């Protein structure tokens, strides 16, 4: 099965590089206003025209870049002018699949393994509850990892993930072994195929760092051997 399409989230800031007919490329900043699914399964991004540029311009050779939960994504795109209820917009369509730029401290790879996130919902009652009183039951959410490194992971989950900043216990099952460690929810991700995505950063990357690094490198070696 093909991996879910990745794209920026609504209201996320993105970098857009356009190439005028003459002169140097222009590096611009804009924001995603909406995501519009298309009949062919792709997603058109509705973005705000960058200030100072003609909102009626077309761009056939542009590059879109944005922050990914565990790295940075980039893809070539084309833009065309449009209009929505909130004003002039640019409609951005991908010319090719997005690629991941390995910029961060931890090498990562696409792979599919189970994950369990466990946490306690914070409420006004639980904040006021004494330690001697009954504590709320932990919440469990099963998912499937789609991107893993020794520093964190991105997973698809069947229901709404915990809020940003929530501290969780993340248990990844690798080759029959459960690797559990504390983590923090750092981003929610919208997949074009539907469903929910959640990224977590491990609080103690060294706890299972050697094991996860070996798994990630092995996956990448297999991928390269097939290309």
């Amino acid at each position: 099965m093909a991996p879910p399409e990745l794209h920026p989230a609504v209201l996320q800031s993105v970098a857009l590089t356009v190439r005028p007919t003459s002169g140097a490329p222009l590096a611009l900043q804009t924001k995603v206003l909406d995501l519009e699914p298309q009949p062919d399964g792709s997603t058109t991004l509705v973005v705000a025209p960058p200030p100072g540029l003609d909102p009626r311009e077309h761009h056939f050779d542009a590059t879109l870049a944005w922050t990914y939960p565990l790295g940075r994504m980039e893809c070539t795109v084309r833009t065309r002018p449009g209009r929505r209820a909130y004003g002039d917009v640019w409609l951005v369509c991908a010319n090719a699949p997005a690629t991941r730029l390995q910029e961060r401290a931890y090498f990562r790879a696409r792979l599919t393994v189970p994950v369990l996130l466990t946490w306690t919902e914070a409420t006004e009652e639980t904040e006021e509850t004494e330690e001697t009183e009954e504590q709320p039951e932990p919440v469990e959410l099963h998912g499937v990892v789609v991107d893993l490194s020794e520093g964190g992971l991105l997973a698809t989950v069947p229901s709404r993930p915990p809020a940003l900043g929530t501290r969780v216990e993340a248990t990844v099952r690798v080759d029959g072994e459960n690797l559990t460690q504390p983590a923090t929810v750092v981003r929610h991700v919208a997949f074009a195929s539907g469903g929910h995505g959640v990224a977590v950063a491990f609080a103690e990357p060294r706890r299972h760092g050697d094991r996860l690094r070996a798994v990630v490198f092995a996956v990448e070696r297999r991928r390269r051997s097939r290309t």
Side-chain angles (χ1 to χ4, degrees), residues 120-136:
T120 301
E121 293 283 9
T123 65
E124 292 184 3
E125 291 184 2
T126 57
E127 290 174 358
E128 297 175 356
T129 300
E130 297 293 337
E131 293 185 1
T132 55
E133 297 181 12
E134 183 177 353
Q135 297 296 312

Side-chain angles (χ1 to χ4, degrees), residues 26-183:
L26 300 175
L28 311 165
Q29 291 290 325
T30 185
K31 182 176 291 188
V32 177
L33 303 177
D34 201 0
L35 303 173
E36 297 181 346
Q38 302 301 308
D40 63 358
S42 65
T43 300
T44 295
L45 276 64
V46 181
V47 306
L53 295 185
D54 186 347
R56 296 166 296 178
E57 288 182 333
H58 288 75
H59 299 278
F60 301 99
D61 183 18
T63 301
L64 183 75
W66 68 96
T67 301
Y68 180 64
L70 301 176
R72 187 170 175 82
M73 301 297 292
E74 183 178 272
C75 66
T76 58
V77 298
R78 60 191 183 279
T79 78
R80 68 180 192 275
R83 187 164 181 84
R84 295 295 183 265
Y86 36 83
D88 291 324
V89 298
W90 280 1
L91 304 177
V92 179
C93 302
N95 290 329
T99 57
R100 182 176 53 234
L101 304 178
Q102 295 283 353
E103 296 184 334
R104 298 199 173 181
Y106 304 108
F107 192 85
R108 60 198 62 81
R110 288 282 187 95
L111 74 165
T112 302
V113 294
V115 62
L116 171 65
L117 301 180
T118 306
W119 73 98
T120 301
E121 293 283 9
T123 65
E124 292 184 3
E125 291 184 2
T126 57
E127 290 174 358
E128 297 175 356
T129 300
E130 297 293 337
E131 293 185 1
T132 55
E133 297 181 12
E134 183 177 353
Q135 297 296 312
E137 291 292 326
V139 181
E140 293 186 348
L141 182 61
H142 292 266
V144 177
V145 173
V146 297
D147 195 312
L148 178 67
S149 81
E150 61 190 279
L153 61 83
L154 171 66
T156 61
V157 291
S159 59
R160 186 176 180 82
L164 297 180
T166 301
R167 288 175 291 183
V168 300
E169 286 288 317
T171 301
V172 179
R173 188 164 183 81
V174 177
D175 296 334
E177 181 181 5
N178 289 332
L179 306 178
T180 301
Q181 58 186 308

